[in-house]
Amino acid sequence: MIKIPYLTALTTHFSYGLLFAFGQFRDFFRKIFDWWRTNNLQGYAPICLDFEDFYTRRLYLRIQDCFGRPISSAPDAWFDVVERYSNDNNKTLKRTEKRTRCLNLGSYNYLGFAASDEYCTPRAIDSLKRFSASTCSSRVDGGTTTVHTELEECVANYVGKPAAIAFGMGYVTNSAILPVLIGKGGLIISDSLNHNSIVNGARGSGATIRVFQHNTPSHLEKVLREQIAEGQPRTHRPWKKIIVVVEGIYSMEGEICRLPEIVSVCKKYKAYVYLDEAHSIGAVGKTGRGVCELLGVDTADVDIMMGTFTKSFGSCGGYIAGSKELIQYLKYTCPAHLYATSISPAAAQQIISAIKVILGEDGSSRGAQKLARIRENSNFFRSELQKMGFEVLGDNDSPIMPIMLYNPAKIPAFSRECLKQNVAVVTVTFPATPLLLARARICISASHTREDLIKALEVISQVGDLVGIKYFPAEPKKQQQEKEMIKLE
Amino acid sequence: MYVRAVPPADLNKNTEWFTYPGVWTTYISILFFSWLIVLSIFGCSPGSAWTIVHLVHFFVTYHFFHWKKGTPFADDQGIYNGLTWWEQIDNGKQLTRNRKFLTVVPVVLYLIASHTTDYQHPMLFFNTLAVFVLVVAKFPNMHKVRIFGINADR
């Protein structure tokens, strides 16, 4: 639940109104100037309507230097950010040769596999030498190597399902699977804050889409009852299939899905559950098996479990895990399997080695250490930020913590001030989040040490005071010390 | 002091900002402060200032609510490209609280403007015309209606 101070809501609305008004003025004068200037594009249709890219031109481009910063090293806990400058007020940015070493609070590097790892990297290089960088064909033609079959078995065992299928890209996994699973005459009920890949896949499938309020099982039940009673849109025939799509951890809120209640609602009304564990696989749960393990849900109750390898495993690609019949069906219908190039063998080997490290099968306890460290780091960081008075979203144990900024001017201020002090944060604004609720999203990794986190806290606290985002009263220091003493005892 | 912001189940990002707390208050305060600004810039009587605010409000809200179609970003792939902002809010459902509020505001502004100018003639005519156009444009029966094909899709 997000609590905004009322005055902040008013000033945010007003700021956006002001930005919108300025943008409209500039567009108006730009139209007049362009009418005077001759152009040699007679007879060509415009690429986009003038109103369609208003947001990009007039709001996003003004603070473009806060997004898309190029990096020139592996995204470990510390990395090199390339400095850029602009001569025309951020419309175009030019790279320089200078690099700054910054603390990385933005990469989804939950278990620290993003940089070179002592177990995974030699094996990935080995597999690169054996199989070369790409299989250069789709899975059905010549792209299935022993690494691919081993990967699918490994993932199925890890997740706790009978079989799995892996694809080369995480976004494609969602957008190519949903059209295959459900078609016209079916119903997809998805959480209102689902990722764009799910929205795209759902739109591409041709099924009817309904949305339920974020993470509210009672509203899901209400929507299910309404839709089952009404049936298909005009004919009122019963639905052919109902799939409820939820995510394990929502990447913009850091909230963990209320899976037990949602699964019980779906069982009651005989709907299928599709769980997208992009951010939660490998990051939560005692052995890193995701939200099912964390919340105690039996994996047999979730019909389709999807996940990506980009976040916790330091590789690329996505997977779907389900029953043997489902995976066999997907293997001969899913276009991502039939036509898309298969996942690179080196990337697949990286995933297999990462899973082995997590499960402890490489002979060391690094996996368990990483899991314990990410949990400690996340809980420590979140509680410290909340004590300082920031509004931090997300549940305990979740490694994603968005710090609310709200006002549009605070977004570039926070981002640039943090970069000046060598801390790189990711700020998220309008199309990815609702208009008012702009935030800075911090992703904690197992490779962050306690000193890194303390430095980050100092910098964020300083910048927070400067920018004015400590919306809640901070707890006074004496109480903090007392609490810490009680914890140690 | 604090209000809860519940994320609405509205998928249209162009209109869902209107369902958050504080919008109505911001709207009314913008109108009030623009009246003060007009008074200080032009140094005219309060009645003419209200008339100016009313007429500028008419032009601005007509242009943005009932003339401009589509959304200011390309993410939604143009599914709302034939609908004005007024037709998009609340997913096209008529007579919701937001719509009723937005219909009442021009009427209240009209009453204030005509009262403070003592119902005198040139201002009264323009004010009445403005409020008539705005209120008719907001009727539920005018949903997706394009009179004489003005502003219809290409």
Side-chain angles (χ1 to χ4, degrees):
Chain A
M1 223 9 72
I2 303 179
K3 285 164 76 169
I4 316 180
Y6 197 56
L7 198 59
T8 311
L10 295 183
T11 51
T12 315
H13 282 295
F14 178 69
S15 324
Y16 273 110
L18 197 65
L19 283 171
F20 189 74
F22 265 99
Q24 291 288 340
F25 265 137
R26 295 182 80 154
D27 269 358
F28 176 67
F29 284 111
R30 169 60 52 190
K31 272 209 199 121
I32 296 181
F33 286 155
D34 276 350
W35 186 67
W36 276 111
R37 223 194 312 160
T38 54
N39 64 345
N40 48 0
L41 291 174
Q42 286 296 339
Y44 281 92
I47 290 180
C48 51
L49 306 174
D50 62 0
F51 197 42
E52 215 173 56
D53 61 345
F54 175 79
Y55 177 77
T56 315
R57 273 178 300 117
R58 297 301 177 197
L59 271 74
Y60 178 81
L61 284 185
R62 291 172 77 122
I63 52 173
Q64 210 196 114
D65 63 319
C66 302
F67 304 111
R69 294 188 180 130
I71 63 177
S72 68
S73 74
D76 200 11
W78 286 82
F79 64 165
D80 294 323
V81 176
V82 176
E83 289 180 15
R84 299 187 287 178
Y85 68 94
S86 171
N87 287 331
D88 51 2
N89 200 14
N90 273 349
K91 246 169 89 170
T92 53
L93 290 162
K94 299 202 191 34
R95 299 199 301 253
T96 60
E97 292 300 323
K98 299 207 294 183
R99 310 273 182 268
T100 354
R101 189 112 189 120
C102 296
L103 178 62
N104 183 2
L105 289 180
S107 294
Y108 301 135
N109 180 16
Y110 300 140
L111 294 179
F113 283 114
S116 148
D117 184 82
E118 58 190 10
Y119 182 80
C120 301
T121 312
R123 284 171 178 71
I125 295 181
D126 223 19
S127 137
L128 192 65
K129 289 187 187 153
R130 270 181 75 197
F131 292 106
S132 95
S134 166
T135 59
C136 299
S137 74
S138 73
R139 287 289 299 270
V140 287
D141 281 334
T144 305
T145 61
T146 47
V147 190
H148 291 90
T149 38
E150 196 188 337
L151 171 67
E152 292 183 347
E153 267 176 40
C154 207
V155 166
N157 275 335
Y158 182 62
V159 165
K161 280 283 199 183
I165 178 176
F167 300 101
M169 188 175 148
Y171 190 100
V172 153
T173 312
N174 269 329
S175 37
I177 286 290
L178 281 170
V180 165
L181 289 178
I182 191 170
K184 197 154 174 297
L187 173 68
I188 297 182
I189 306 186
S190 83
D191 189 289
S192 68
L193 295 176
N194 266 342
H195 189 250
N196 192 275
S197 54
I198 299 177
V199 172
N200 248 323
R203 281 192 190 148
S205 68
T208 314
I209 309 174
R210 289 281 175 268
V211 161
F212 72 94
Q213 245 176 33
H214 174 60
N215 230 0
T216 320
S218 52
H219 193 244
L220 170 64
E221 181 160 2
K222 187 161 154 254
V223 170
L224 263 173
R225 288 176 72 100
E226 209 181 292
Q227 291 302 316
I228 294 180
E230 278 184 11
Q232 295 186 26
R234 261 165 297 128
T235 56
H236 294 294
R237 288 198 206 137
W239 295 103
K240 292 198 184 143
K241 207 183 298 196
I242 304 184
I243 299 188
V244 174
V245 182
V246 289
E247 288 188 29
I249 293 188
Y250 290 92
S251 59
M252 288 302 154
E253 274 74 36
E255 266 177 20
I256 299 182
C257 158
R258 282 159 65 171
L259 199 56
E261 291 102 327
I262 291 184
V263 163
S264 65
V265 166
C266 291
K267 268 193 178 165
K268 192 165 147 194
Y269 294 95
K270 305 237 173 50
Y272 293 110
V273 180
Y274 182 111
L275 177 65
D276 176 342
E277 289 209 84
H279 287 268
S280 50
I281 188 80
V284 293
K286 224 176 339 166
T287 55
R289 287 187 155 98
V291 280
C292 288
E293 189 183 6
L294 183 71
L295 300 173
V297 173
D298 188 10
T299 51
D301 285 337
V302 178
D303 303 290
I304 306 159
M305 297 177 68
M306 177 264 175
T308 59
F309 301 122
T310 15
K311 282 91 184 179
S312 310
F313 303 106
S315 177
C316 64
Y319 70 87
I320 298 264
S323 63
K324 279 202 168 35
E325 296 85 17
L326 171 73
I327 300 299
Q328 203 155 18
Y329 172 73
L330 287 178
K331 283 196 169 158
Y332 65 82
T333 48
C334 181
H337 190 252
L338 301 173
Y339 307 117
T341 314
S342 56
I343 187 171
S344 158
Q349 182 59 46
Q350 158 80 14
I351 303 164
I352 299 174
S353 323
I355 294 185
K356 290 211 171 106
V357 171
I358 296 176
L359 291 177
E361 286 169 15
D362 63 331
S364 71
S365 65
R366 281 195 313 137
Q369 278 173 16
K370 280 184 198 271
L371 286 165
R373 218 170 4 182
I374 186 177
R375 210 169 342 152
E376 265 173 42
N377 284 353
S378 330
N379 289 335
F380 169 68
F381 206 74
R382 179 175 270 115
S383 58
E384 287 298 315
L385 281 179
Q386 279 173 336
K387 276 188 223 159
M388 285 196 249
F390 289 102
E391 178 162 6
V392 182
L393 308 179
D395 298 330
N396 270 327
D397 277 354
S398 145
I400 304 179
M401 36 205 93
I403 302 180
M404 297 307 294
L405 298 172
Y406 303 120
N407 269 316
K410 296 187 181 176
I411 304 168
F414 189 78
S415 178
R416 289 172 191 160
E417 288 296 320
C418 278
L419 191 63
K420 277 190 210 161
Q421 308 209 21
N422 288 345
V423 169
V425 292
V426 168
T427 49
V428 200
T429 168
F430 183 37
T433 66
L435 186 70
L436 285 191
L437 309 176
R439 59 202 73 177
R441 182 182 63 180
I442 307 236
C443 296
I444 297 291
S445 144
S447 53
H448 283 139
T449 60
R450 201 37 94 96
E451 293 80 38
D452 293 336
L453 294 183
I454 294 182
K455 170 177 186 287
L457 283 168
E458 271 169 30
V459 168
I460 292 182
S461 179
Q462 254 177 26
V463 175
D465 277 327
L466 189 65
V467 167
I469 47 179
K470 293 190 175 172
Y471 294 115
F472 288 151
E475 282 178 35
K477 283 233 155 159
K478 262 196 192 166
Q479 270 188 15
Q480 248 185 29
Q481 283 178 358
E482 277 176 23
K483 276 190 187 164
E484 276 173 0
M485 281 174 25
I486 295 175
K487 263 191 223 165
L488 285 174
E489 285 171 87
Chain B
M1 237 268 277
Y2 290 98
V3 282
R4 288 184 176 275
V6 181
D10 184 2
L11 282 180
N12 183 359
K13 297 222 157 165
N14 189 20
T15 57
E16 61 138 15
W17 60 271
F18 208 73
T19 60
Y20 278 91
V23 190
W24 292 10
T25 315
T26 314
Y27 189 18
I28 296 178
S29 6
I30 292 181
L31 289 174
F32 180 69
F33 280 110
S34 56
W35 176 66
L36 288 179
I37 293 176
V38 166
L39 258 188
S40 38
I41 294 182
F42 291 116
C44 51
S45 68
S48 332
W50 275 119
T51 310
I52 295 176
V53 167
H54 182 215
L55 292 175
V56 170
H57 171 257
F58 160 64
F59 283 119
V60 168
T61 53
Y62 188 77
H63 180 77
F64 287 117
F65 290 359
H66 302 282
W67 187 264
K68 273 259 177 235
K69 294 193 289 192
T71 50
F73 39 80
D75 278 353
D76 56 4
Q77 298 171 350
I79 41 183
Y80 300 110
N81 268 352
L83 297 177
T84 61
W85 190 84
W86 179 257
E87 288 158 3
Q88 287 172 32
I89 46 173
D90 288 332
N91 266 325
K93 222 164 64 153
Q94 300 297 329
L95 299 177
T96 60
R97 291 189 72 203
N98 280 331
R99 286 184 184 235
K100 288 182 191 161
F101 171 74
L102 287 175
T103 317
V104 163
V105 168
V107 174
V108 168
L109 258 188
Y110 169 67
L111 291 173
I112 296 178
S114 36
H115 173 77
T116 48
T117 58
D118 285 330
Y119 302 91
Q120 282 167 7
H121 227 46
M123 282 85 74
L124 185 64
F125 174 66
F126 289 120
N127 281 338
T128 315
L129 188 62
V131 84
F132 181 72
V133 170
L134 273 186
V135 173
V136 165
K138 295 181 163 67
F139 278 167
N141 308 57
M142 293 293 282
H143 183 72
K144 286 204 202 166
V145 169
R146 308 271 179 255
I147 311 180
F148 300 131
I150 304 177
N151 205 16
D153 296 329
R154 277 173 242 153

